[in-house]
Amino acid sequence: MGTKVPIILFVFVMLCALSSAIPSKRKSYTPCKNMVLYFHDIIYNGMNAANATSSIVAAPQGANLTILAPQFHFGNIAVFDDPITLDNNLHSKPIGRAQGFYVYDTKNTYTSWLGFTFVLNSTYHEGTITFAGADPIMQKSRDISVTGGTGDFFMHRGIATIMTDAFEGEVYFRLRVEIKFFECW
Amino acid sequence: MGTKVPIILFVFVMLCALSSAIPSKRKSYTPCKNMVLYFHDIIYNGMNAANATSSIVAAPQGANLTILAPQFHFGNIAVFDDPITLDNNLHSKPIGRAQGFYVYDTKNTYTSWLGFTFVLNSTYHEGTITFAGADPIMQKSRDISVTGGTGDFFMHRGIATIMTDAFEGEVYFRLRVEIKFFECW
Amino acid sequence: MGTKVPIILFVFVMLCALSSAIPSKRKSYTPCKNMVLYFHDIIYNGMNAANATSSIVAAPQGANLTILAPQFHFGNIAVFDDPITLDNNLHSKPIGRAQGFYVYDTKNTYTSWLGFTFVLNSTYHEGTITFAGADPIMQKSRDISVTGGTGDFFMHRGIATIMTDAFEGEVYFRLRVEIKFFECW
């Protein structure tokens, strides 16, 4: 017995050590929450005031506010209030608005920097999700950061994988956004 | 005795399991830190250069930089350096500056997108708090994300509840900001 | 023996308690990852279109887009796509691009607000790091927040310490950025 007890205890110490090594916060690479949403951007071009959901509000020297700048739109800032839908149909009932801005920031290819928030307000979701990061538009799939959330998404963090789902002239584009939360609270 | 030891050990295993189940990071919905601050924005209107703390720096096509744009100011970007006070008096001694920008981003109501930092520098607080998110101005109370901090607020995250505490014409507004940190380090 | 077992068990309970008190997520003030990088900004001044990496795209009323605004550039927004290097030599091989914008936001000193992303793409690093915060330029060393990351920097958070490493006229500046991650996943 005198030798058995230490062995049993050794096993328990190992168990305790193991159990405390398992993170108390979910940190695996499996999202704790996952959503796919679409948003639709119609940029004002001087003729579509009624339908436009975004406007060029800044441009580099020599450019103007109705036509995207030459040199891959470098220097343009657009402000947007775009409908968010559950599928890829512009005319589906919106479940919220994507609000914020994008900046075209490269002279020799199309890239932008995004700062925006999904303001969701439907039976599905109630709350906000805020995004920030570089968007190398020409890549099929690219990741940006989900830096915070409120409401249903209180304190959430994660990654959003963005794909350009449609691109029509320089007036309409649609982004497919897969939001993967890895911190859910 | 041969049966007592396992029972005692069983209790300890339970205790160990329990103790490791308590999150090592504070994740409850009770803030680990809480502050109420006010900041004051006086927008430049062409006649108040001496007092103005913010300026319109971008506007949509057809608008200008001294008058906020029609259509709920959609497309305006304002840059600000606003005093932060402990109470709601513009003339109280500032404990820091709120610095950053806001974007008016809806055509049929007042909403903005905020990206700014509280730069605090007083006997009360030393450090920065950075905010990002959508601000549906017409709602009495709205939440944005606190995405990071430095100094006294090193690595903090949380939620800020914003209320419009005063609104005078289109020149002055005062926001009450209740900052609730849920990650404090 | 009857007294020895409880003592041994007491020790184990203490050990278990201790081990579970060690955070499962690295939360000490020692970074879990650390990098020093430089980025180089050449602002367009009307004569350097070939070399410029950034442009003024917004300015307050009365200013223009080729000369930084009076009053400490208050109200200017610049968009940039700057090379990132491992050392302080503008002509070293870039390991990525710093993309985003800065806003000059004070009328009586030089401060800016930064929103940008390091897009790293080399044998050293593959992924993005997103930064946000106030930059009180005249201070030798200042901290901003690292709000998120993707790729090699998946879900990372931290602090970046920025120093102005060179400043030539109002055309070129070089920033030394020490990125200290405190959440690494």
Side-chain angles (χ1 to χ4, degrees):
Chain A
M1 173 90 201
T3 53
K4 261 185 204 156
V5 169
I7 288 164
I8 293 167
L9 291 175
F10 177 77
V11 170
F12 289 134
V13 172
M14 290 295 97
L15 280 173
C16 294
L18 257 173
S19 71
S20 68
I22 297 166
S24 54
K25 180 177 220 168
R26 193 164 174 77
K27 279 182 52 185
S28 76
Y29 289 73
T30 308
C32 43
K33 208 178 280 179
N34 200 71
M35 300 160 63
V36 175
L37 297 171
Y38 294 82
F39 72 97
H40 308 261
D41 191 87
I42 302 168
I43 199 158
Y44 176 69
N45 66 356
M47 296 173 293
N48 58 353
N51 297 326
T53 64
S54 70
S55 280
I56 305 170
V57 302
Q61 195 251 332
N64 66 54
L65 301 180
T66 35
I67 301 169
L68 287 161
Q71 288 199 295
F72 300 88
H73 316 335
F74 179 74
N76 277 139
I77 301 180
V79 170
F80 61 92
D81 170 39
D82 292 347
I84 300 169
T85 56
L86 288 167
D87 61 17
N88 66 0
N89 187 340
L90 169 62
H91 303 294
S92 295
K93 186 173 156 57
I95 63 158
R97 310 294 293 186
Q99 299 181 329
F101 66 99
Y102 49 86
V103 177
Y104 285 102
D105 57 10
T106 309
K107 281 194 275 187
N108 55 9
T109 184
Y110 292 105
T111 69
S112 71
W113 197 91
L114 306 170
F116 68 100
T117 298
F118 274 13
V119 182
L120 298 171
N121 196 340
S122 73
T123 47
Y124 298 99
H125 307 288
E126 180 90 39
T128 71
I129 306 167
T130 292
F131 305 81
D135 179 9
I137 299 169
M138 304 310 284
Q139 291 176 21
K140 192 174 181 238
S141 167
R142 54 270 183 191
D143 284 348
I144 63 167
S145 292
V146 176
T147 59
T150 66
D152 288 352
F153 310 100
F154 175 78
M155 290 290 288
H156 286 36
R157 286 182 70 233
I159 300 289
T161 300
I162 294 181
M163 297 172 83
T164 304
D165 196 57
F167 181 76
E168 292 167 17
E170 294 200 330
V171 173
Y172 173 71
F173 66 76
R174 176 172 69 236
L175 298 184
R176 179 191 188 273
V177 185
E178 181 173 5
I179 307 170
K180 288 164 276 191
F181 293 110
F182 296 92
E183 288 193 15
C184 285
W185 288 64
Chain B
M1 173 88 203
T3 52
K4 261 184 204 159
V5 170
I7 291 164
I8 293 166
L9 291 175
F10 177 75
V11 171
F12 289 134
V13 172
M14 291 294 98
L15 279 173
C16 293
L18 257 174
S19 71
S20 68
I22 297 166
S24 54
K25 181 178 222 168
R26 191 163 177 78
K27 281 181 52 186
S28 76
Y29 288 72
T30 307
C32 42
K33 209 178 280 180
N34 200 71
M35 299 159 62
V36 175
L37 297 172
Y38 295 82
F39 73 96
H40 308 261
D41 192 86
I42 302 168
I43 199 159
Y44 177 69
N45 66 356
M47 294 174 294
N48 58 354
N51 296 326
T53 63
S54 70
S55 280
I56 306 169
V57 302
Q61 195 251 334
N64 66 52
L65 301 180
T66 37
I67 299 167
L68 287 161
Q71 287 199 293
F72 300 89
H73 315 335
F74 178 74
N76 276 140
I77 301 180
V79 169
F80 62 91
D81 170 39
D82 292 348
I84 301 169
T85 57
L86 288 167
D87 61 17
N88 67 0
N89 187 339
L90 169 62
H91 303 294
S92 294
K93 186 175 156 55
I95 62 157
R97 310 293 294 187
Q99 299 181 329
F101 66 98
Y102 50 86
V103 177
Y104 285 101
D105 57 11
T106 309
K107 281 195 276 188
N108 55 10
T109 183
Y110 291 106
T111 69
S112 70
W113 197 90
L114 306 170
F116 67 101
T117 299
F118 274 12
V119 181
L120 299 172
N121 195 340
S122 73
T123 47
Y124 298 99
H125 307 289
E126 179 92 38
T128 71
I129 306 167
T130 293
F131 306 79
D135 179 10
I137 299 170
M138 303 311 282
Q139 291 177 21
K140 194 176 179 232
S141 166
R142 55 267 186 194
D143 284 347
I144 62 167
S145 292
V146 176
T147 59
T150 67
D152 288 353
F153 311 100
F154 174 79
M155 291 289 290
H156 285 37
R157 286 181 71 233
I159 300 290
T161 301
I162 294 181
M163 298 173 83
T164 303
D165 196 58
F167 181 77
E168 291 168 16
E170 294 201 329
V171 173
Y172 173 72
F173 66 76
R174 177 174 65 237
L175 298 185
R176 180 191 187 274
V177 184
E178 181 172 5
I179 308 168
K180 289 164 275 190
F181 293 110
F182 295 92
E183 288 193 15
C184 285
W185 287 64
Chain C
M1 171 89 199
T3 52
K4 261 185 203 160
V5 169
I7 290 164
I8 291 167
L9 291 175
F10 178 76
V11 171
F12 289 134
V13 172
M14 290 295 98
L15 280 173
C16 294
L18 257 173
S19 71
S20 68
I22 297 168
S24 55
K25 181 178 219 169
R26 193 162 175 78
K27 281 181 50 186
S28 75
Y29 289 73
T30 308
C32 43
K33 209 177 279 180
N34 201 71
M35 299 160 62
V36 175
L37 296 171
Y38 295 81
F39 72 97
H40 307 261
D41 192 85
I42 302 169
I43 198 158
Y44 177 68
N45 66 357
M47 295 175 292
N48 58 353
N51 296 325
T53 63
S54 70
S55 281
I56 306 169
V57 302
Q61 194 252 333
N64 66 53
L65 300 181
T66 37
I67 300 168
L68 287 161
Q71 286 199 296
F72 300 89
H73 315 334
F74 179 74
N76 276 139
I77 302 181
V79 171
F80 61 92
D81 171 38
D82 292 347
I84 302 170
T85 56
L86 288 167
D87 61 16
N88 67 0
N89 187 340
L90 169 61
H91 303 294
S92 295
K93 187 175 157 54
I95 62 158
R97 310 295 294 187
Q99 298 180 328
F101 66 98
Y102 49 85
V103 176
Y104 285 102
D105 56 11
T106 309
K107 281 195 275 188
N108 55 10
T109 183
Y110 291 106
T111 69
S112 70
W113 198 90
L114 306 170
F116 68 101
T117 299
F118 274 12
V119 181
L120 298 172
N121 195 340
S122 73
T123 47
Y124 298 98
H125 307 289
E126 180 91 37
T128 72
I129 306 167
T130 292
F131 305 81
D135 179 10
I137 299 171
M138 302 311 281
Q139 291 177 22
K140 193 173 180 239
S141 166
R142 54 269 184 193
D143 284 349
I144 61 168
S145 292
V146 176
T147 59
T150 65
D152 288 352
F153 311 100
F154 174 78
M155 289 290 287
H156 285 38
R157 286 182 69 235
I159 300 289
T161 301
I162 293 181
M163 298 172 81
T164 303
D165 196 58
F167 181 77
E168 291 168 15
E170 294 201 331
V171 173
Y172 173 72
F173 66 76
R174 177 172 66 235
L175 297 185
R176 179 190 187 276
V177 184
E178 182 173 4
I179 307 168
K180 287 164 278 191
F181 293 110
F182 296 93
E183 288 194 15
C184 285
W185 288 64

